[in-house]
Amino acid sequence: MRRMTLVVVFLLTSVLAFAEMPSEENIKAVAESWLAKKPAQGFGVTMSMSEAAVVQIRYTALLAKDLGDEVGFKAGLTNPAVQKRFNYDKPIRGTLFAKMILSGPSRVPAAFGSRPVYEADMVAVVGDAARAMSARSPLEALQALKEIRPFIELPDLVFDPQVKLDGPSLLAVNVGARLGVLGDSISLPATAESVEKLAAVKIEVIDQTGAVVGGGKGADVLNNPLNAVLWIAESLKGEGKALKNGDLLSLGSFSAPLPPKAGSTITVRYTGLAPVPAEVTVMFE
């Protein structure tokens, strides 16, 4: 028994030795790299998810003065393929700020971030925050929304490619939130049929030549994008926080992240939600 106790103590000590908070200097250095659009060298430590959540608060505080008001949240790692890439099998949450949101179609520098990429995404706009916080099913979540809108997220992977980017490091840098291009509202009644359409919607990423360079379907995000709404609400509730009316909720990636190329035009098309496909476009300069 004594030997087993010593083994357990040793293992716990080892875990604690490898998981620690980065220094304020390292957090500030990563934030300054983000602001300068230069790849960061990492936080210098291996963090747990709880530590990364604390770092995110400190990190976003250093950026927020240049980003405007908080306007919502983004759910990251809601797609199994993306989870596999970052070796973390649960969603994570970041904060969206006013200056991150652009109206489509929009022109954006190809070098918009430290390590810029683009992804097909979707935004849900909260219409009834109290109802959204108490929703227990995709249909109840849809009934709490004001609208669904096309969204091309323009995340920033922040770190130098030599730095291992995993779940905690991604959480710490606000889930890579940088910019996003928002399309027009999709007319979608709050019905069971609409819930099914959101799971089945076909999403294509199309370049200026008409070639499809990526995409997926609604069910790629937690089996239904509305489950990401439920997850965001539940994650906030667990921290004693709540959604507000008008909050924008970025629900996750339907496509693999791709690097932008100057001179290219990218359109994300959503087929199956309305009689006419919905689209949103970004032009990289």
Side-chain angles (χ1 to χ4, degrees), residues 227-242:
N227 286 327
V229 176
L230 295 172
W231 180 84
I232 290 172
E234 196 64 26
S235 73
L236 289 168
K237 192 183 303 182
E239 298 175 13
K241 302 175 182 177

Side-chain angles (χ1 to χ4, degrees), residues 9-28:
V9 170
F10 173 77
L11 290 174
L12 288 174
T13 303
S14 298
V15 170
L16 292 172
F18 285 105
E20 58 181 311
M21 286 288 293
S23 67
E24 291 299 324
E25 290 76 12
N26 280 350
I27 297 172
K28 184 178 179 182

